Amino acid sequence: MNILILGSGGREHALAWAVLQNPKTDRLIVAPGNAGIAQIAEVAVIDILSGEEVVQLCADEAIDFLIIGPEGPLAAGVADSARAAGILTFGPSAAAARLEASKAFTKEICDACAAPTAAYARFTDAAAARDYVRAQGAPIVIKADGLAAGKGVVVAETLDQALAAIDAMFGGSLGAAGAEVVIEEFMVGEEASFFVLTDGINALPIGTAQDHKRAFDGDTGPNTGGMGAYSPAPVLTDDIAEITMDKIILPTIAEMARRGTPYSGVLYAGLMIEGGQPRLVEYNARFGDPETQVLMMRLGGQVLDAMLACANGTLEKMQINWADDHAITVVMAANGYPSAYEKGSQIGGLNTLPGTSRQMVFHAGTTEKDGQIVANGGRVLNITARAQTLAAARALAYDMAAKIDWPQGFYRSDIGHRAL
Ligand code: AMP
Ligand code: GLY
């Protein structure tokens, strides 16, 4: 079949790499892709936020299956446009993607289905929000309701930080995303991510992961989109996964269906685990980045069958074959990330590295210039490896990282430390 993947990051490189391992794939196009993706698939330049342009590309290239990577096109209704045009699509409707696009909506769903999550209140008025945090005290968590590219959450350790966050959000620092603010109880515990495919009724867990959000070793420095990840997450035991399915995931799926907005696609639950009990931190309507890189390493080509079953509504019959393995990914980022960084520096040594089912460098922000791979973003490469143990996978990944010649980039040297 002919497949189109939307997106341009390490997540989409990993998805493309896994999809290509499945013999059902005849032709793969990724829009807009990056330099690493261009080495394994065709790339096409369109506006992926435009349903019209995506549907046109699908028609022009006789696409049989559309896979939507990032949240932007989902929130913009690209899955709706594609389904209306009769294209088999992986990814939720805009109405269902509100589970990521609106934090207040997610809280409303948790209330309706009694899913455990942080206590909260929602505000459209700064004065009322300020009164509320003064009454609650710190630590407390201030969240912009809408999509804010990872900048919409402030974990305030003091009352002053909380008040400043409220003023900034209502002052328009995040644009329309901050017009409503959700204020949450600060939850303690260990965070982990749980990934489930659902066709709107049935749910199939496809793996667990943990990422490292801080820029520097020892979980210090500013928050980033994620500096590395590993799968499985040891804290997310089989027991906790079962509780998560029973109390959080399945009730959410049922509530979305009951409202006439069934959720079809991957549901990514961010969890806080304490005393053997999971609570929901947030939902994402897409695969995680860089978590997908480790999930795809472990799943390989079978993920295409699972995504097809998800889109076709036949997930009930689907099974995942697990190898008892571990995967890890180390992010190489441009110096300065997550603040200002330069683009355009050359990256050497990549073509000396293996590209196998156990070791793979996924590209995130790269482009090709005069036959050379150059950095073109904040997070640039995802050095990914798989082995029988996390320690062995980690050794393989750091071996590869050491062979990359890129003085303008950096990476953390302690990815996986919590699990080792
Ligand atoms: P989110 O975008 O909702 O995942 O929030 C980003 C990060 O903020 C999470 O990964 C947590 O580390 C932290 N966070 C969010 N909500 C809470 C909460 N209620 N309690 C403690 N930490 C939180
Ligand atoms: N790595 C976090 C995310 O994809 O949202």
Side-chain angles (χ1 to χ4, degrees):
M1 59 199 312
N2 297 337
I3 298 173
L4 172 62
I5 298 177
L6 301 185
S8 62
R11 166 180 52 208
E12 286 77 22
H13 191 184
L15 286 169
W17 175 84
V19 159
L20 280 167
Q21 289 169 30
N22 190 304
K24 287 196 182 77
T25 306
D26 294 313
R27 201 175 152 213
L28 177 65
I29 304 177
V30 182
N34 61 36
I37 291 171
Q39 291 170 351
I40 62 171
E42 297 170 56
V43 293
V45 179
I46 55 163
D47 175 6
I48 64 168
L49 296 177
S50 159
E52 210 173 308
E53 288 191 34
V54 172
V55 167
Q56 188 62 50
L57 181 63
C58 289
D60 292 346
E61 303 294 349
I63 295 300
D64 302 299
F65 188 38
L66 169 67
I67 299 169
I68 302 177
E71 64 277 18
L74 295 169
V78 170
D80 303 80
S81 303
R83 289 200 181 94
I87 301 158
L88 186 66
T89 301
F90 179 83
S93 66
R98 288 187 74 207
L99 281 180
E100 172 163 3
S102 167
K103 301 206 185 273
F105 176 75
T106 296
K107 288 302 208 182
E108 203 179 293
I109 295 291
C110 287
D111 284 348
C113 69
T117 185
Y120 76 103
R122 51 197 281 192
F123 298 92
T124 51
D125 170 68
R130 280 193 222 104
D131 288 346
Y132 180 78
V133 300
R134 280 197 196 96
Q136 296 291 317
I140 194 157
V141 183
I142 317 292
K143 300 186 174 186
D145 175 59
L147 289 179
K151 299 191 173 70
V153 175
V154 174
V155 178
E157 278 157 29
T158 65
L159 200 55
D160 283 345
Q161 285 169 2
L163 294 171
I166 290 168
D167 289 343
M169 285 178 196
F170 282 117
S173 65
L174 299 169
E180 179 164 1
V181 165
V182 173
I183 301 182
E184 284 186 8
E185 162 202 1
F186 173 78
M187 294 189 284
V188 291
E190 186 165 353
E191 281 189 81
S193 304
F194 190 60
F195 295 86
V196 175
L197 295 186
T198 170
D199 56 13
I201 298 168
N202 306 290
L204 179 70
I206 56 160
T208 64
Q210 273 178 302
D211 73 349
H212 294 262
K213 291 217 162 78
R214 302 296 196 98
F216 309 130
D217 281 8
D219 295 317
T220 59
N223 261 314
T224 71
M227 292 301 292
Y230 50 93
S231 172
V235 62
L236 228 164
T237 59
D238 290 349
D239 281 353
I240 291 175
E242 208 181 304
I243 300 172
T244 304
M245 286 298 280
D246 289 347
K247 293 203 168 155
I248 301 177
I249 305 289
L250 293 171
T252 296
I253 292 169
E255 176 62 19
M256 293 300 285
R258 194 189 65 74
R259 292 178 177 226
T261 52
Y263 187 100
S264 164
V266 60
L267 188 58
Y268 158 3
L271 304 174
M272 189 70 81
I273 298 161
E274 204 215 0
Q277 294 300 320
R279 287 203 281 170
L280 184 74
V281 178
E282 62 157 359
Y283 278 129
N284 290 305
R286 50 169 176 84
F287 282 109
D289 191 343
E291 293 88 338
T292 306
Q293 290 78 318
V294 285
L295 292 181
M296 293 307 123
M297 261 270 148
R298 297 186 64 212
L299 291 167
Q302 65 181 325
V303 78
L304 175 62
D305 296 313
M307 288 193 285
L308 282 167
C310 184
N312 278 317
T314 56
L315 207 53
E316 203 181 349
K317 301 188 197 93
M318 192 66 212
Q319 268 191 351
I320 298 289
N321 295 313
W322 289 109
D324 193 11
D325 57 2
H326 297 256
I328 192 166
T329 190
V330 177
V331 171
M332 287 187 91
N335 291 339
Y337 173 80
S339 300
Y341 54 83
E342 283 184 11
K343 292 184 181 180
S345 52
Q346 267 190 28
I347 304 168
L350 286 173
N351 46 21
T352 66
L353 296 176
T356 67
S357 65
R358 292 188 161 263
Q359 279 178 290
M360 185 67 200
V361 177
F362 295 116
H363 289 220
T366 65
T367 189
E368 197 191 306
K369 205 173 152 205
D370 308 325
Q372 286 284 335
I373 303 291
V374 301
N376 193 40
R379 291 189 294 173
V380 174
L381 298 169
N382 308 138
I383 322 296
T384 312
R386 178 171 67 94
Q388 281 314 106
T389 63
L390 183 61
R394 175 156 118 150
L396 286 175
Y398 278 113
D399 242 26
M400 287 195 286
K403 292 185 180 123
I404 293 173
D405 178 18
W406 183 38
Q408 294 85 356
F410 76 101
Y411 56 90
R412 279 182 58 164
S413 66
D414 63 349
I415 300 302
H417 71 86
R418 253 172 305 178
L420 284 169

